[in-house]
Structure formats: C-alpha cells, structure tokens
Amino acid sequence: MPDQVAIVTGGAGDVGRGVCRALSAAGVAVAALDLDVSKADGAELALECDVTDHHACAQAVDAVASKLGGVSTLVNMAQAMLAGTPLLDLSARDMRTEFESGPNATLRMMQLCYPHLKARGGGAIINFASGAGTYGLPGLGAYAAAKEAIRGLTKVAAMEWGRDNIRVNAICPVATSDHSADWVSQAVAVSPMGRVGDPETDIGAVVVFLAGPGAFINGRTLQVDGGSGAWR
C-alpha cells in the first residue's frame, strides 16, 4: 500500500510489534507510539507517547503527519490491563486507569487523526477490543468494561464518519509472542486450531486487510481468535 501512513499506539508491545511489521511489509510507512519504544520493530518512526496525555498525543500526531506525510490509518492498541480483581473489589481508581488508557485515549487519538484522514479523502481506524469483554472473563471487570466502551466508540464513529470514507472497525485478538507458558497453554486448550495467533502473520494480516481499500467493512468487530470464542 504505497503512500500510506499508519500510526500504531502500543506499537512497541507484544502484538503491536507484529502489527507494525505486517504494515511495513505491505509498504506502509509506520509510526509506533508507546511509553517505551526500545523494543519497537517494523516502524519507520518510533515516538515515546503517553496516550493518556492529550498534549503528548497531539504532538505525536503532528510529528507523524509532518515527517511521514499525513495519516491514512490509525491503529489503537495501547491499553493498561488490570487482571485478577473480582468485581466486588474493583475501585474507582481501577476504573479510571482502564478508561483513561483505553476508551478515553482511543477517542483522543481518533479525534486528533480525523482531520488528517479526511484530508486524504478517507482512511481506516482499527481499534483493539478484547474477548475479556465480548466473552466476559472473570477477574477482568475494569478491562472488559473499557474494551466494550471502545467497541461502542467504534460503532458510533463508523456511523458518523462513514460519509467521509473513514472506515472504523475493531479487532478482538488472541495472539502472543512472549506471554507465559501458562497463558499459552490455557489459550491453546480452548482453540479449535490448537494454537494461539501470531502477532504478525495472523493479527497483523487482518490489520493490513482492514487498512486497505478493498475492505468494504465498517463498524464491525472481528474476532481474530482462531475460533476460541465460536461457542460463546
């Protein structure tokens, strides 16, 4: 996809690196935004950015547009993850942490990138949600709520911005390259395919497809999990 520019928040993380590599291999100029970019891979530009900080996000988007020539795709992956806390023990602080790093940051980046996408005649936004919300996974109440809020934003943006040729979709992935052996074994146990996804060839490939002009898909959530949730 020549002349395309993608911003990937959380782009230096486990799955984020795979997404960046996949986009780069497809000819997209990639900018990875993360709190720590030391592990960034596949990005032409790596910028330290706290997505909970509006000023930092605005500076990052402006820098990407200036250095890489605009923005055609936004991939929102950055999100704090609090696990292992029962609903009865969730605090207001827990909820603030998840929502500020998740749906609030996602909306912030969408709003900042919108003028750039519109100026190019359209583009794509791919937000990362989670089976924690669509399935309802115990111990992940705050995270699940935040991820479901992101799916809500995705649908509304698809309806409001479709007229600008901006397609907005969500992905719920099951993939890893460096999770613990226990996590992998649990994920494999419920996978009809007997494996977890690869961040680049499985998740990244879907991001590349959704970012491309041939994806007549808008406002949808794709469960890229190898069928792990097909029974739910």
Side-chain angles (χ1 to χ4, degrees):
M1 294 185 288
D3 301 320
Q4 300 296 300
V5 179
I7 292 177
V8 182
T9 73
D14 177 18
V15 180
R17 293 192 299 272
V19 169
C20 288
R21 289 193 297 267
L23 286 166
S24 181
V28 179
V30 181
L33 275 54
D34 215 309
L35 288 172
D36 179 4
V37 296
S38 62
K39 293 184 179 180
D41 184 24
E44 186 170 331
L45 184 63
L47 300 173
E48 290 189 0
C49 179
D50 180 353
V51 294
T52 68
D53 183 334
H54 181 89
H55 181 66
C57 290
Q59 282 191 318
V61 171
D62 287 346
V64 172
S66 175
K67 294 179 181 180
L68 299 183
V71 180
S72 59
T73 300
L74 169 65
V75 184
N76 281 306
M77 301 183 67
Q79 168 87 62
M81 183 179 184
L82 302 176
T85 304
L87 285 179
L88 289 175
D89 297 329
L90 279 179
S91 67
R93 182 177 181 179
D94 294 334
M95 297 299 288
R96 284 195 299 270
T97 296
E98 293 291 9
F99 271 75
E100 196 50 40
S101 65
N104 290 353
T106 293
L107 176 61
R108 179 177 298 116
M109 289 299 298
M110 289 167 63
Q111 291 172 330
L112 289 168
C113 287
Y114 171 82
H116 298 282
L117 296 171
K118 185 177 181 180
R120 292 176 68 101
I125 297 174
I126 299 109
N127 296 325
F128 271 62
S130 174
T134 59
Y135 305 161
L137 299 182
L140 288 166
Y143 181 74
K147 287 300 190 182
E148 287 296 272
I150 288 173
R151 292 208 308 135
L153 288 172
T154 297
K155 293 179 181 180
V156 173
M159 297 298 292
E160 293 187 2
W161 297 352
R163 69 194 67 183
D164 299 314
N165 196 33
I166 299 173
R167 294 167 288 109
V168 191
N169 294 288
I171 288 177
C172 292
V174 174
T176 188
S177 61
D178 62 10
H179 261 299
S180 68
D182 285 344
W183 185 92
V184 172
S185 64
Q186 291 173 21
V188 168
V190 296
S191 171
M193 298 183 70
R195 67 177 181 87
V196 297
D198 178 85
E200 180 177 354
T201 59
D202 293 319
I203 310 305
V206 176
V207 171
V208 169
F209 168 68
L210 289 175
F216 187 54
I217 303 173
N218 195 26
R220 298 300 182 181
T221 297
L222 280 69
Q223 299 282 355
V224 190
D225 60 5
S228 298
W231 61 275
R232 296 175 187 263

